[in-house]
């Protein structure tokens, strides 16, 4: 290279004898390029070294036993409180309707009113039913008089009348017989027609029948009243009395009374409405039979029994707890939510009880003394059942357990599967997966308590 007069470096462009460009002296920027390449290579080596170190450390971290905190299954008293939210229902909820068809003339109570058993709550128009009752009473009086007359028997004047009737019928029959004989003689001599003879015979037969009927009536009167007539009279009287009872019942049905002591939930009809049998006029509830139906996780109902105490908090009275007890545990649960309905009866309740009101309930079964207790933080739920991860010889093992009641303090009763002294993993997280069965762990023991 050479420099011109200004000091600028000029490359040497001399050519070789064969015409090719001859190599000139070394260029000035080549050392810098070599240094740059070296620096880039060193950076690559450094990055690779860092990556290898990170990979190594990660491998060591992944391979080292995970640290777990364990607590021991212990023996203690467990007082459960099974929580649930439910609604107020009435065991005795009655729809009041009419037995007969009629027009409402009075509707005497309204929604929310307190009522007593036997209280008049509505009336129907009773004019027709009162007339039917009067007619039935008159029929009873008439049939009763007829029966008394039959039982009294025939009187002397009646017998004399019957005897006179027999004499008249006998005389008439004799006269008819004589007339028939004369007609027969005339017919034999062919002096009268066949039609005249037949007419005379018919008159004679009628007279004979009348005499026979009169004599039979006299015989009955002399013998006394016939038993079958008395029985027929009694039957007629019973039928009339039954009709009277029915008429009185229908008249009474125009008065609609409350069947219970409680309050009116709803009112469906007003005065002037036509009522048909079965159509609801009121819906009534008995507050003494009210209870709350609460849905409880089916897994928590193992320790619940009828009669267990319960604390009830009404939405309308949030600052007060009312007492209750378990009245019924239903036998069929919800197949989707896996909850079971438990009915809790009220030992006490607010003065104003509202059906459908939401309540919070804590069911408190009897305290289990000296129960085997598992910290809830160690509970593991798997598709095949509940249990806990037990650490034995530094390795994890899932052990299934059958649990009872749960204590709000953080303990679950163990019925079988775990023993006091077993060390279980608290908050196992992903270690609860079945793939970690038998995995070695680093153990840290927790203080006493869940």
């Amino acid at each position: 290279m050479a420099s011109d007069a200004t000091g600028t470096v000029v490359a040497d462009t001399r050519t070789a004898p064969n015409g090719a460009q001859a190599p000139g002296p070394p260029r000035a920027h080549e050392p810098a390029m070599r240094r740059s390449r070296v620096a880039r290579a060193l950076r690559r080596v450094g990055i690779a070294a860092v990556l290898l170190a990170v990979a190594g450390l990660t491998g060591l971290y992944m391979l080292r036993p995970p640290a777990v905190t364990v607590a021991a299954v212990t023996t203690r008293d467990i007082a459960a409180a099974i929580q649930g939210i439910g609604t107020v229902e009435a065991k005795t909820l009655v729809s009041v309707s009419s037995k007969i068809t009629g027009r409402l003339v009075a509707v005497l109570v309204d929604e929310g009113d307190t009522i007593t058993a036997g209280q008049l709550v509505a009336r129907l128009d009773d004019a027709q039913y009162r007339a039917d009752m009067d007619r039935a009473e008159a029929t009873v009086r008439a049939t009763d008089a007829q029966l008394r007359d039959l039982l009294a028997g025939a009187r002397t004047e009646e017998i004399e009348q019957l005897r006179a009737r027999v004499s008249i019928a006998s005389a008439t029959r004799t006269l008819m017989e004589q007339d028939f004989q004369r007609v027969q003689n005339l017919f034999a001599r062919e002096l009268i027609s066949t039609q005249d003879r037949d007419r005379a015979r018919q008159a004679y037969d009628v007279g004979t029948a009348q005499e026979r009927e009169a004599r039979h009536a006299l015989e009955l009167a002399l013998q006394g009243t016939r038993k079958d007539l008395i029985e027929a009279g009694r039957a007629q009287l019973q039928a009339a009395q039954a009709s009277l009872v029915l008429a009185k019942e229908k008249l009474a049905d125009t008065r609609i009374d409350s069947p219970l002591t409680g309050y009116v939930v709803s009112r469906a009809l007003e005065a002037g409405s036509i009522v048909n049998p079965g159509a609801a006029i009121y819906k009534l509830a008995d507050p003494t039979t009210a209870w709350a139906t609460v849905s409880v996780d089916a897994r928590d109902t193992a320790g619940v029994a009828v009669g267990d105490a319960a604390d009830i908090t009404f939405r309308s009275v949030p600052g007060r707890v009312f007492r209750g007890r378990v009245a019924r545990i239903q036998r069929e649960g919800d197949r989707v939510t896996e909850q079971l309905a438990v009915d809790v009866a009220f030992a006490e309740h607010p003065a104003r009880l509202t059906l459908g009101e939401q309540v919070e309930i804590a069911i408190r079964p009897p305290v289990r003394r000296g129960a085997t207790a598992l910290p809830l933080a160690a509970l593991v739920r798997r598709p095949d059942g509940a249990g806990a991860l037990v650490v034995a010889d530094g390795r994890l093992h899932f052990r299934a357990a059958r649990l009872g009641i749960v204590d709000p303090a953080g303990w679950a009763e163990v019925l079988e599967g775990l023993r006091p002294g077993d060390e279980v993993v608290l908050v196992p997280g992903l270690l609860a997966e079945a793939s970690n069965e038998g995995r070695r762990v680093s153990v840290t023991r927790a203080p006493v308590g869940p």
Side-chain angles (χ1 to χ4, degrees):
M1 288 193 181
S3 302
D4 61 8
T6 62
T8 303
V9 177
V10 180
D12 188 356
T13 59
R14 292 177 295 179
T15 57
N18 58 2
Q21 187 175 358
R27 298 178 181 179
H29 63 280
E30 289 181 353
M33 293 175 62
R34 285 195 295 271
R35 288 194 298 271
S36 177
R37 286 195 294 271
V38 171
R40 285 197 296 272
L42 290 175
R43 281 198 298 273
R44 292 191 189 99
V45 172
I47 292 172
V50 171
L51 292 175
L52 287 173
V54 170
L57 292 174
T58 301
L60 291 174
Y61 178 80
M62 295 297 293
L63 292 176
R64 73 179 182 85
V68 296
T69 303
V70 300
V73 176
T74 186
T75 300
R76 56 169 289 150
D77 296 341
I78 295 182
I82 300 170
Q83 305 286 341
I85 296 177
T87 54
V88 177
E89 307 289 348
K91 181 181 178 182
T92 302
L93 190 63
V94 178
S95 179
V96 177
S97 60
S98 172
K99 296 180 181 179
I100 58 177
T101 300
R103 182 174 60 87
L104 275 172
V105 296
V107 181
L108 303 176
V109 293
D110 203 355
E111 294 182 4
D113 289 352
T114 300
I115 53 175
T116 58
Q119 177 181 340
L120 179 65
V121 295
R123 284 191 296 107
L124 302 179
D125 184 5
D126 63 356
Q128 176 183 346
Y129 298 104
R130 192 171 294 279
D132 292 341
M133 186 188 71
D134 293 341
R135 185 163 47 251
E137 286 179 341
T139 303
V140 168
R141 288 194 296 270
T143 52
D144 182 60
Q146 291 175 0
L147 179 60
R148 287 199 303 270
D149 190 57
L150 288 173
L151 292 173
R155 292 182 291 273
T156 304
E157 58 271 19
E158 292 177 348
I159 295 175
E160 292 302 325
Q161 290 175 358
L162 289 173
R163 283 176 175 167
R165 178 183 169 189
V166 169
S167 298
I168 294 172
S170 177
T172 303
R173 193 267 312 162
T174 301
L175 179 62
M176 294 299 176
E177 183 180 7
Q178 291 173 356
D179 288 342
F180 177 65
Q181 289 175 353
R182 283 194 301 269
V183 170
Q184 281 280 70
N185 293 331
L186 294 173
F187 179 76
R189 290 183 293 172
E190 296 182 355
L191 296 177
I192 60 174
S193 65
T194 304
Q195 184 177 2
D196 292 336
R197 187 200 63 176
D198 292 341
R199 200 166 21 244
R201 174 179 285 279
Q202 183 178 11
Y204 170 65
D205 291 341
V206 170
T208 302
Q210 289 177 346
E211 182 185 14
R212 185 165 52 249
E213 180 182 357
R215 292 186 182 280
H216 181 66
L218 178 59
E219 290 176 0
L220 291 177
L222 293 174
Q223 294 174 1
T225 304
R226 288 175 54 184
K227 184 177 180 181
D228 55 347
L229 293 178
I230 294 177
E231 293 300 325
R234 286 173 175 168
Q236 291 176 356
L237 179 60
Q238 290 177 352
Q241 291 173 337
S243 297
L244 176 60
V245 170
L246 181 60
K248 287 182 176 180
E249 288 182 353
K250 287 186 176 181
L251 179 62
D253 288 339
T254 61
R255 173 190 172 100
I256 301 174
D257 300 329
S258 171
L260 53 80
T261 297
Y263 59 90
V264 181
V265 177
S266 63
R267 167 174 159 174
L269 297 176
E270 301 297 331
S273 302
I274 299 299
V275 180
N276 293 314
I281 303 172
Y282 298 105
K283 184 185 291 185
L284 310 180
D286 182 359
T288 62
T289 66
W291 58 21
T293 299
V294 58
S295 296
V296 177
D297 192 315
R299 293 172 296 192
D300 297 333
T301 59
V304 178
V306 173
D308 286 349
D311 296 336
I312 307 168
T313 303
F314 291 83
R315 189 179 183 88
S316 59
V317 192
R320 181 179 172 187
V321 176
F322 294 84
R323 295 179 298 105
R325 61 176 182 80
V326 175
R328 183 172 64 183
I329 303 173
Q330 298 187 14
R331 291 291 184 175
E332 184 175 9
D334 191 302
R335 291 171 174 78
V336 177
T337 63
E338 296 185 354
Q339 291 183 325
L340 192 65
V342 177
D343 297 322
V344 178
F346 302 144
E348 54 185 3
H349 57 75
R352 183 176 180 177
L353 195 61
T354 304
L355 297 183
E357 180 178 356
Q358 191 177 80
V359 293
E360 297 179 5
I361 294 180
I363 301 172
R364 300 187 180 278
V367 177
R368 304 293 175 85
R369 304 291 182 184
T372 300
L374 171 72
L376 283 178
L379 180 61
V380 174
R381 295 192 184 276
R382 289 184 176 179
D384 56 347
L389 290 181
V390 177
V391 177
D393 298 328
R395 295 184 180 275
L396 293 178
H397 300 282
F398 176 77
R399 190 175 298 171
R402 188 165 66 90
L403 305 179
I405 62 176
V406 176
D407 194 318
W411 298 91
E413 179 190 20
V414 179
L415 301 177
E416 60 182 34
L418 294 170
R419 297 187 299 256
D422 288 341
E423 292 189 328
V424 292
V425 178
L426 301 178
V427 194
L430 295 178
L431 290 176
E433 296 179 359
S435 59
N436 291 309
E437 181 70 20
R439 185 172 180 177
R440 185 173 293 280
V441 292
S442 175
V443 174
T444 299
R445 288 174 174 79
V448 176

